[in-house]
Every structure is written in C-alpha cells, then in structure tokens.
Amino acid sequence: MYLLKYILYSVLNTVTVAVASHKCSFYPRKAPSSCSSSVFRIFFGPAATPRSRACGLSEMRSLASSPTAPTPAPSGLGASSDRPRGGGADGNYISQATARPWTSCPSSSRGGPRGLHFPECRGRADLVLPTPPGPGAWLGTQPAPEAALRAGVATMGDPRGTRRILVTGGSGLVGRAIQKVVEDGARLPGEDWVFVSSKDADLTDAAQTRALFQQVQPTHVIHLAAMVGGLFRNIKYNLDFWRKNIHINDNVLHSAFEVGVRKVVSCLSTCIFPDKTTYPIDETMIHNGPPHSSNFGYSYAKRMIDVQNRAYFQQHGCTFTAVIPTNVFGPHDNFSIEDGHVLPGLIHKVHLAKSSGSALTVWGTGRPRRQFIYSLDLARLFIWALREYDEVEPIILSVGEEDEVSVQEAAEAVVEAMDFHGEVTFDTTKSDGQFKKTASNAKLRAYLPDFRFTPFKQAVKETCAWFTDNYEQARK
C-alpha cells in the first residue's frame, strides 16, 4: 500500500495538471489546499490549509476552542467501524483550527459569478454542515440537504454559536436604518450586531482597519462605509472619491479575509453602470462601458468591489458579494444642499423656502428620472441578503421600473409632504447629471416576489417629518 502511495505521488509530483472540473491543480511536492479530488483525499488525506488564512477560519477556531470540540481521532484509526463518521470522504471530524471550512465547490448550488460555474458542484455543498446530535462538525463533501444548499457557507441560521455582524458606515443613512430594523425586531437569537463609524477607525488606513477587525472578530460584515456625495460634489472631487473609496474597500475586504469572516455584503450603486447602455440595466451589465463622466471616480471605485469579490471567491472561496441599491433616501440622510443627493437636498431647500417665504429653486431641468428606495426598505433587504443571498454576483435592490419618477415629480412630492405653497422654479444652468439609470429588479423579484416597498409619497412624508423634527441634529 505504501509502495502504491509512493508511485502515485511520484507520478503526480512530476506533472502539474489543471483539473477544471474540480478547480484544482496538483502542484509538485505540495498537496493542494483547494483540491476536492477524491484521489488526493483517499491517498494523502485532507488537503492542507494554505499559508494565507481561509475565509471562515475564525469559525473553525471557535469550534476548536469550544468545550464540546471533538478530539482528534487516534492516528491508528483507519476505515474501521470505530472511526467517527463524518460527511467528508475521509470521515475526519474537524478538531483543530487549521481545518478548512470548505473544499472547492461554490457555497450555493446556483454556482458562483458568471464564468465560474461548476456543474459537478450542483446538488452538493462543500461547506461545514451543522452537526447531528453530538459534538463535532465535518467537511461536507457528501450531497447536502436543500436547506444547507440554500444557506451556503455563510448561513445565518447556523446553530454553532453567536454570529457577530459588523456594520461599517453604521452611523450613515443605511447603517442607521439597519440598526432601527434590527432593534425593531429583526434580530435573531445568537446575533450580535456591531455598528461602527469613522469615529471608531479610519478605514482608509490599513492598520486601523485591521485593528478594528481583530478587536471585533466579526463572522459577517455589511460594508457600507464610503466617501459619498451628490452630483456637484462628485464633479468637483472625482480623484478624492476614487482614492478614498479604493483604500476603504481594499482594507475592509482584506481585513475580513484575514480574520476569517464567513460572509461580506458590500453596498454598490447604480451609478456604476455604463452611461451609454440599454435599459433596463441589470446585474450583468456593470462592466460593459465607462460610467457617466460626472462621477467616474466613485463609480470605478465601487465597480472594483465586484472585481475583488470575484477574485476572493476564485482564489480563496470567500462568500463576498454586493448589493446595488438605486437612489436611497430616508431619516439620517445627508441633507446638505451642496453635497447631498437630490431628494434630501430638495427636502432641505423646501424647508428653508417655507421658513423664509421665498421661492423654491430646483437645480437642473427636472427631467432626469430616478428609482428611489426608502432606507428602511433597503435595510430589510440588506438583512435578507446577509442571511439568504449566496451568490457572488451582485443583486440590484430596487423598486420596479414602473415606480421610476422624474426629479420634478420628486420635488412635487416633497412640496406636498411639507405643505409648501410658494413658487417653484428650475435653474436650467445647473447640470442634470445622468438622465436615467432605470434598473431591473427582476432578479430580486425572483427571490422575493412578495416583498412590499413603502409607497414613494409615504416614504417622502416620513422623511420630511423626521427632518423637520430633527432639524438641529440632522446632517446638513
């Protein structure tokens, strides 16, 4: 038997074979860590952990250090009936921190990003499955239950302990909305939510970002932190938007990888889509051409999150994904007239015009069209994506195409909500920006056909009321 092992190893040691069906290469003198080949598993045991940390490794550390963690099987145990029976081909229970929490198949039977689909992975989940009665967990290389396939590596229903969810940009518009939804009853047992802002760490600094992640030790991350602004701020500071967001995103994703985060959901924007395109836009069209020139710095920086997510998946098997919301608004927005987005800027303008008895001036022609999504609706969808959405490819979170409104219609909704009766004019010397960014939410509807968005006028009314009640404290 040992002679047979030696002969097989010698043969494999001289030839590098790329096995596309297993996403695996047999490198000389080294058992591949990402190999799912049963040949390597049977003859040489489980694949070794790579030098770089694997996504989800912190989960293995907690398993190994827990009081109920299984002890390693004696080295003399073979395939006898005394051997613990796990889900892996070798039956070994995970008993030490160096165990990998998956082999090489994507965490969902839907496959991975476009171009990274592996047919042999359908109907199976190479992930750490919840254990049956009794201690221990195993490498799931056997066909997994449908529930496990839906949950994937990053399942939030995992019963093995506390899920610590770190939310970057936690004091911003979407972060505060998620916090409210969680506090209002969306928190699940075993979830520990940590909301951080720039006061806690400068995420453009790699050392500070790494220190934050090492301190919090999150299992899941919602990444919202970004340098953001409205049309005119983007036009003025394209370079700053590029550099700062590139640093933030790279630091966050790599720190998440280093501490073994199981899943990251980042926030993109529909402004990343090509300026010249067909409508409606969908998730497959992100990289089909340059974005609008008014905000190309921010747009390209956000596009790179998608590139990094795919690369972390391809090289390390990480479940890093992103959502693409349309124009978000709601309580805790930035209501700055100069630097804010169109709707909060309009709300602030109407408030001032009403207070002073002056006319309301809307910048631009009022003709550009937008799909607006209420921040509380987006918060609910973010939580769903964190728990249930297991594709690496992004997903658009938006109201339907039929709910798109013009800037003029948005201004009229604000005027109505704030009971403004003054004159309304349009300053056509100001830029309109991109005329439209109509996005399809067909993919979202395929997952959540019954999700109900807050009606636009109701959401505007609630936001206006919040701004009026919190005028002194609101960002403006």
Side-chain angles (χ1 to χ4, degrees):
M1 184 63 184
Y2 287 104
L3 178 60
L4 178 59
K5 283 189 178 183
Y6 178 79
I7 294 173
L8 285 172
Y9 182 78
S10 299
V11 172
L12 293 172
N13 196 34
T14 60
V15 181
T16 298
V17 182
V19 184
S21 63
H22 292 293
K23 286 195 333 181
C24 168
S25 297
F26 301 126
Y27 291 101
R29 307 188 63 80
K30 180 179 179 182
S33 60
S34 61
C35 181
S36 61
S37 169
S38 57
V39 174
F40 252 89
R41 283 186 165 275
I42 292 171
F43 288 97
F44 303 113
T49 303
R51 293 183 183 274
S52 60
R53 294 182 178 179
C55 300
L57 187 57
S58 60
E59 171 189 345
M60 296 299 99
R61 287 198 293 270
S62 65
L63 266 177
S65 61
S66 67
T68 58
T71 55
S75 57
L77 281 178
S80 69
S81 59
D82 297 329
R83 187 176 184 174
R85 305 307 298 170
D90 54 13
N92 282 340
Y93 280 80
I94 294 172
S95 59
Q96 50 187 324
T98 55
R100 280 180 63 89
W102 67 82
T103 51
S104 68
C105 285
S107 63
S108 167
S109 60
R110 294 177 66 90
R114 293 182 182 275
L116 292 174
H117 293 271
F118 300 94
E120 80 286 356
C121 294
R122 299 190 183 279
R124 52 181 285 175
D126 285 347
L127 48 89
V128 180
L129 296 175
T131 64
W138 60 76
L139 290 174
T141 55
Q142 297 298 320
E146 181 62 26
L149 286 173
R150 287 198 306 271
V153 170
T155 174
M156 296 294 292
D158 193 329
R160 286 166 295 167
T162 298
R163 281 82 66 190
R164 177 164 290 178
I165 303 117
L166 174 65
V167 182
T168 68
S171 64
L173 167 64
V174 182
R176 295 295 289 269
I178 293 174
Q179 189 169 1
K180 177 174 174 52
V181 170
V182 168
E183 291 172 351
D184 286 350
R187 185 195 306 269
L188 293 179
E191 286 184 355
D192 179 16
W193 289 79
V194 180
F195 295 84
V196 297
S197 70
S198 57
K199 294 179 181 179
D200 300 289
D202 177 5
L203 299 182
T204 64
D205 182 272
Q208 290 191 41
T209 309
R210 187 179 303 112
L212 173 68
F213 273 74
Q214 289 174 346
Q215 177 184 357
V216 175
Q217 288 292 311
T219 60
H220 298 75
V221 173
I222 292 179
H223 174 38
L224 307 173
M227 177 184 177
V228 297
L231 171 63
F232 297 98
R233 191 179 182 205
N234 271 274
I235 291 173
K236 190 175 182 179
Y237 299 111
N238 264 300
L239 177 60
D240 291 352
F241 277 96
W242 161 260
R243 296 189 71 242
K244 289 189 177 182
N245 285 305
I246 280 291
H247 287 311
I248 290 171
N249 299 333
D250 185 55
N251 291 338
V252 167
L253 292 180
H254 198 65
S255 294
F257 167 71
E258 287 185 322
V259 302
V261 168
R262 295 184 220 165
K263 185 174 185 178
V264 178
V265 180
S266 298
C267 188
L268 307 186
S269 166
T270 50
C271 72
I272 69 177
F273 286 97
D275 179 32
K276 308 299 182 184
T277 187
T278 56
Y279 295 100
I281 51 181
D282 64 36
E283 294 84 356
T284 68
M285 301 163 69
I286 295 173
H287 305 284
N288 286 0
H292 193 269
S293 60
S294 64
N295 58 4
F296 68 88
Y298 178 82
S299 299
Y300 276 121
K302 284 293 187 178
R303 281 190 188 186
M304 291 305 102
I305 291 180
D306 179 50
V307 173
Q308 287 178 280
N309 286 345
R310 295 167 187 265
Y312 274 108
F313 174 82
Q314 185 187 56
Q315 190 165 333
H316 299 293
C318 298
T319 308
F320 292 178
T321 189
V323 300
I324 310 173
T326 47
N327 291 61
V328 191
F329 72 98
H332 302 285
D333 206 339
N334 179 3
F335 294 86
S336 169
I337 293 173
E338 294 289 337
D339 297 333
H341 290 99
V342 57
L343 200 54
L346 284 170
I347 292 173
H348 192 183
K349 281 186 175 183
V350 172
H351 176 86
L352 294 177
K354 183 178 179 179
S355 300
S356 64
S358 59
L360 167 66
T361 301
V362 180
W363 289 349
T365 65
R367 291 195 296 268
R369 303 185 66 80
R370 296 291 183 265
Q371 289 160 289
F372 292 100
I373 181 172
Y374 193 31
S375 59
L376 295 177
D377 292 340
L378 180 59
R380 297 181 184 97
L381 290 172
F382 248 110
I383 294 171
W384 164 79
L386 187 73
R387 293 171 178 163
E388 304 293 338
Y389 182 71
D390 295 318
E391 296 187 42
V392 174
E393 184 175 316
I395 183 170
I396 292 172
L397 304 182
S398 174
V399 298
E401 301 163 47
E402 68 279 3
D403 294 314
E404 187 176 54
V405 299
S406 69
V407 172
Q408 180 175 343
E409 290 169 328
E412 291 169 352
V414 174
V415 165
E416 178 183 338
M418 300 191 78
D419 196 29
F420 175 72
H421 299 286
E423 181 185 5
V424 178
T425 63
F426 292 85
D427 183 356
T428 58
T429 65
K430 299 290 188 180
S431 173
D432 274 337
Q434 193 169 1
F435 178 69
K436 64 182 297 183
K437 299 182 286 186
T438 313
S440 168
N441 70 350
K443 185 174 181 179
L444 173 64
R445 284 304 186 192
Y447 277 100
L448 298 173
D450 299 322
F451 185 85
R452 299 182 66 179
F453 291 94
T454 304
F456 177 64
K457 287 190 175 182
Q458 177 186 335
V460 168
K461 187 174 182 179
E462 291 178 8
T463 304
C464 290
W466 182 90
F467 178 71
T468 301
D469 294 341
N470 297 273
Y471 182 77
E472 296 302 324
Q473 296 78 34
R475 290 185 295 161
K476 53 187 185 299

